[in-house]
Amino acid sequence: MHLQSAHLISAHILTHLASHRAAGSSSPLFVAIQGPQGSGKTTVTRVVQEKLSSPPYSLSIVSFSLDDLYLPHAELTSLAQRHPENGLLKGRGQPGTHDVALGEHILARLLSINDPDSMEASEDLEIPSFDKSLFNGKGDRLAPGQGLAVKAPVDVVLLEGWCMGFYPLDDEELEKRYLDAKEAADGTARGGEGLPDLKEVVETYSLDDLKTVNVYLGKYVESIYRFFTVFVQLVPASEGYSLVYKWRLQQEHHMKTLNGGRGMSDLEVKS
């Protein structure tokens, strides 16, 4: 499935890159890849990068994740303290937990990196790296020098993230969907063993919690999305929030297997 998706996405990117260059632009083509947590975004993006950077294309690809833009641990802690009642902001993941200003700065530099007259072309650019295993799974940004060093020229920029392309809802629509979800939850049975049930999820977070995250999401539209001309969505063959939870749990278990057990507990992933 991942190979097929990567093949389709690569062909789509090549088509848009040809149009981008035919229009006279020397800047990189910006491509956003979205999919649910644990759906294979990182794997698919890596395969796309490998395919396009190899012959016969041999393109210069810069690839990173929205996860790399998480706020440092101290700022994530401060964010949670400013919203003590909002469980959505108690850890990394939701809109509001990323350094949007840093993301905008990096993307702006990438936009001009191929211009020989710009400072961006001559100065080194580093995209930060975020280690999710630090602080018992809460994570922290690694020190400068441990990120991805980028130099010109750059043909394509790939940014993958679970909420890339999501737009905020107006308050009326947000309230309607929240109430609809609560009504649906009343008639929903529990999921499989170890899975959160819909009623529990809906009752854990208030409408005000969602409104706060909704406002933060608007900043992504203003500062991040404006750079992108191509958006790709990975849609799982079988839908449902319980499936996403299983994938997210597998993702955390895999990371802990590789790093000696550092990461979130199953309960922390669930919440």
Side-chain angles (χ1 to χ4, degrees):
M1 175 184 173
H2 289 160
L3 288 176
Q4 182 181 13
S5 297
H7 176 75
L8 292 172
I9 293 169
S10 297
H12 188 63
I13 290 172
L14 289 170
T15 298
H16 280 273
L17 181 61
S19 299
H20 188 63
R21 292 288 180 252
S25 177
S26 63
S27 65
L29 179 72
F30 287 76
V31 180
I33 299 178
Q34 184 276 330
Q37 291 176 315
S39 63
K41 293 183 304 298
T42 302
T43 301
V44 169
T45 302
R46 187 189 72 246
V47 175
V48 169
Q49 180 181 16
E50 292 172 351
K51 181 178 179 65
L52 295 181
S53 62
S54 301
Y57 312 112
S58 301
L59 298 174
S60 175
I61 311 293
V62 171
S63 176
F64 63 109
S65 170
L66 195 62
D67 292 356
D68 294 317
L69 300 178
Y70 278 133
L71 294 166
H73 176 71
E75 293 183 37
L76 286 172
T77 301
S78 177
L79 176 70
Q81 290 172 344
R82 294 197 304 272
H83 302 278
E85 304 301 322
N86 193 334
L88 293 171
L89 298 176
K90 288 190 182 300
R92 54 181 167 84
Q94 297 291 333
T97 64
H98 301 93
D99 192 334
V100 173
L102 176 61
E104 183 177 28
H105 172 74
I106 290 171
L107 293 170
R109 289 201 56 187
L110 286 169
L111 183 66
S112 303
I113 199 168
N114 294 335
D115 183 352
D117 297 323
S118 72
M119 292 181 60
E120 283 75 8
S122 59
E123 295 183 353
D124 290 344
L125 170 63
E126 180 179 350
I127 297 173
S129 181
F130 190 91
D131 188 340
K132 298 176 183 177
S133 71
L134 299 176
F135 291 96
N136 295 318
K138 293 180 174 63
D140 198 7
R141 184 182 299 166
L142 296 181
Q146 299 185 60
L148 173 66
V150 179
K151 293 183 180 294
V154 176
D155 295 304
V156 178
V157 174
L158 303 175
L159 177 58
E160 55 96 353
W162 77 268
C163 63
M164 286 298 295
F166 284 20
Y167 277 72
L169 302 173
D170 61 54
D171 284 349
E172 182 178 350
E173 179 64 20
L174 183 63
E175 182 173 3
K176 178 182 181 300
R177 295 196 186 190
Y178 178 75
L179 294 176
D180 286 348
K182 290 192 73 171
E183 182 178 349
D186 289 337
T188 301
R190 287 191 62 87
E193 183 178 355
L195 296 176
D197 68 277
L198 182 57
K199 186 172 184 179
E200 178 186 349
V201 171
V202 171
E203 291 182 349
T204 299
Y205 307 112
S206 70
L207 179 59
D208 284 340
D209 292 341
L210 298 182
K211 286 183 177 180
T212 299
V213 172
N214 198 50
V215 170
Y216 277 121
L217 182 58
K219 298 179 181 179
Y220 293 55
V221 177
E222 298 167 2
S223 302
I224 302 294
Y225 297 177
R226 65 185 180 88
F227 291 93
F228 291 84
T229 53
V230 179
F231 281 80
V232 176
Q233 183 180 39
L234 299 179
V235 180
S238 179
E239 298 181 348
Y241 77 94
S242 60
L243 180 61
V244 172
Y245 170 72
K246 284 182 179 179
W247 284 342
R248 177 66 186 84
L249 198 58
Q250 290 172 357
Q251 199 176 48
E252 197 74 17
H253 287 175
H254 178 66
M255 180 187 72
K256 291 166 72 173
T257 299
L258 297 177
N259 67 24
R262 300 189 308 275
M264 289 183 174
S265 69
D266 289 3
L267 182 60
E268 287 172 322
V269 172
K270 177 181 176 180
S271 62

